[in-house]
Amino acid sequence: MMSRSARISRLTRQITQLRVDRNFILTCSYNTDVRHSIPNQSDAKTLGFSGNQFDNQAQSALAKNYIGGECKPQVGENVSRKDKISFLVSTLLDVKDSKEAVYGALDAWVAWERNFPIGPLKQVLLKLEKEQQWHRIVQVIKWMLSKGQGNTMGTYEQLIKALDMDHRAKEAHEFWNKKIGYDLHSVPWRLCSLMISVYYRNHMLEDLVKLFKGLEAFDRKPPDKSVVQKVADTYELLGFFDEKDRLLEKYKDLFTERRIGSPKRLRGPRSQREGKQAQES
């Protein structure tokens, strides 16, 4: 297992490399602080550290400037939250497309924070979503979860959507079963509707039917007709016509809407449609 000082040294190299490679300067004071906060062996001698003491003091030396025996504020305190978010978004867009590179950039970005920056990271995810960087969103959320952070239904929804948009529906299905699908009694309908849509778009029909029947087992009524119609279409594709008719009859109130004071039927069971066609002929 990598020692604490080795991890700090690794983060130090990553931060320095990112700054050199990207040639991106947030503010002059920020880069100056980062540069002076990473001690070298000559600094250790000036401060009176031995070789072993230098290794043992690596973490505290990264967080503070020991110049003239005085302790300066932590690096990054003079950088606005907006600039920190912009810096990370730009870094994630430019960094090499590998798990190690992305995780390393994220580790380096949070190294200066006293508390895990869940709020700024949510802003980063929103910005990446606007850029349709679905693959990066998956990587960022998985990194968050690996740190024990972001275990909320909102984060799960973002991950499932990103996996679907990144053409990884099977992985979204596996994540659903592992983290969410075991407790359908309390899962928000918004998230259930998203997963039904994922199954529908990716022709995972049996999984869609299983999910919907699981929700029905808890007597949970669909919030709108779009969910019911996807399930009805799935029954038809699978050849379960009786199931389709039963479903449409059960939730027929969702297929009516008020227009000028009278209800209008949008779509109905097969038997009603066939009867209407016979009358017209």
Side-chain angles (χ1 to χ4, degrees), residues 29 102 114 154 157 159 174 180 208-209 226 232 241 249 271:
S29 61
V102 172
R114 290 190 177 95
E157 180 180 346
L159 179 57
E174 292 171 353
I180 308 168
L208 189 156
V209 171
S226 65
F241 300 108
E249 179 63 28
S271 58

Side-chain angles (χ1 to χ4, degrees), residues 5 24 60 62 83 86-87 103 105 121 124 126 129 132 150 157 161 183 187 192 199 221 229 236 241 252 254 277 280:
S5 60
F24 182 89
S60 59
L62 281 170
D83 285 340
S86 297
F87 179 84
Y103 279 31
L121 281 168
V124 168
L126 289 175
E129 188 169 324
Q132 297 185 350
E157 180 180 346
K161 178 181 178 182
D183 185 20
V187 181
C192 296
Y199 288 146
K221 182 179 178 180
Q229 193 61 57
E236 184 171 336
F241 300 108
K252 61 184 178 181
L254 294 175
Q277 292 175 355
E280 292 176 351

Side-chain angles (χ1 to χ4, degrees), residues 205 232-244 270:
L205 306 183
D233 292 343
T234 299
Y235 279 142
E236 184 171 336
L237 289 170
L238 292 172
F240 301 153
F241 300 108
D242 291 339
E243 284 292 309
K244 176 183 177 181
R270 177 166 52 99

Side-chain angles (χ1 to χ4, degrees), residues 42-254:
S42 61
D43 293 332
K45 292 179 181 178
T46 301
L47 298 172
F49 291 147
S50 66
N52 291 335
Q53 288 174 325
F54 175 77
D55 291 334
N56 294 335
Q57 297 294 332
Q59 185 177 19
S60 59
L62 281 170
K64 301 177 181 178
N65 290 326
Y66 291 92
I67 300 177
E70 296 181 358
C71 176
K72 290 193 173 184
Q74 188 176 5
V75 174
E77 286 185 349
N78 60 332
V79 181
S80 70
R81 172 170 168 160
K82 181 179 179 181
D83 285 340
K84 289 180 181 179
I85 292 171
S86 297
F87 179 84
L88 181 57
V89 171
S90 299
T91 299
L92 291 173
L93 292 176
D94 294 343
V95 76
K96 182 181 177 181
D97 187 17
S98 71
K99 177 181 176 180
E100 292 75 15
V102 172
Y103 279 31
L106 290 163
D107 286 337
W109 187 75
V110 302
W112 310 112
E113 301 292 335
R114 290 190 177 95
N115 301 310
F116 193 85
I118 191 70
L121 281 168
K122 288 182 179 179
Q123 294 295 317
V124 168
L125 289 171
L126 289 175
K127 288 181 178 293
L128 291 174
E129 188 169 324
K130 288 182 179 179
E131 296 292 331
Q132 297 185 350
Q133 294 291 323
W134 309 112
H135 189 63
R136 278 289 182 270
I137 291 173
V138 171
Q139 291 172 320
V140 173
I141 294 179
K142 284 189 173 184
W143 172 82
M144 289 170 57
L145 296 177
S146 73
K147 302 294 183 182
Q149 303 291 333
N151 285 286
T152 66
M153 289 299 174
T155 303
Y156 295 165
E157 180 180 346
Q158 281 185 299
L159 179 57
I160 289 175
K161 178 181 178 182
L163 285 169
D164 181 36
M165 299 300 291
D166 200 35
H167 309 293
R168 296 157 70 177
K170 184 177 180 180
E171 192 173 340
H173 167 69
E174 292 171 353
F175 181 81
W176 171 272
N177 286 338
K178 181 180 179 180
K179 285 284 192 177
I180 308 168
Y182 62 86
D183 185 20
L184 295 178
H185 182 268
S186 60
V187 181
W189 255 113
R190 176 187 172 104
L191 191 50
C192 296
S193 297
L194 172 62
M195 201 63 216
I196 287 173
S197 296
V198 171
Y199 288 146
Y200 188 77
R201 282 193 295 270
N202 292 277
H203 206 69
M204 301 169 72
L205 306 183
E206 290 81 6
D207 293 313
L208 189 156
V209 171
K210 181 179 178 181
L211 172 55
F212 187 77
K213 283 184 175 295
L215 292 166
E216 278 197 314
F218 286 107
D219 199 27
R220 300 190 62 184
K221 182 179 178 180
D224 56 68
K225 63 181 181 290
S226 65
V227 173
V228 178
Q229 193 61 57
K230 287 184 178 71
V231 179
D233 292 343
T234 299
Y235 279 142
E236 184 171 336
L237 289 170
L238 292 172
F240 301 153
F241 300 108
D242 291 339
E243 284 292 309
K244 176 183 177 181
D245 290 345
R246 178 198 64 79
L247 179 77
L248 293 175
E249 179 63 28
K250 182 177 180 179
Y251 300 110
K252 61 184 178 181
D253 59 306
L254 294 175

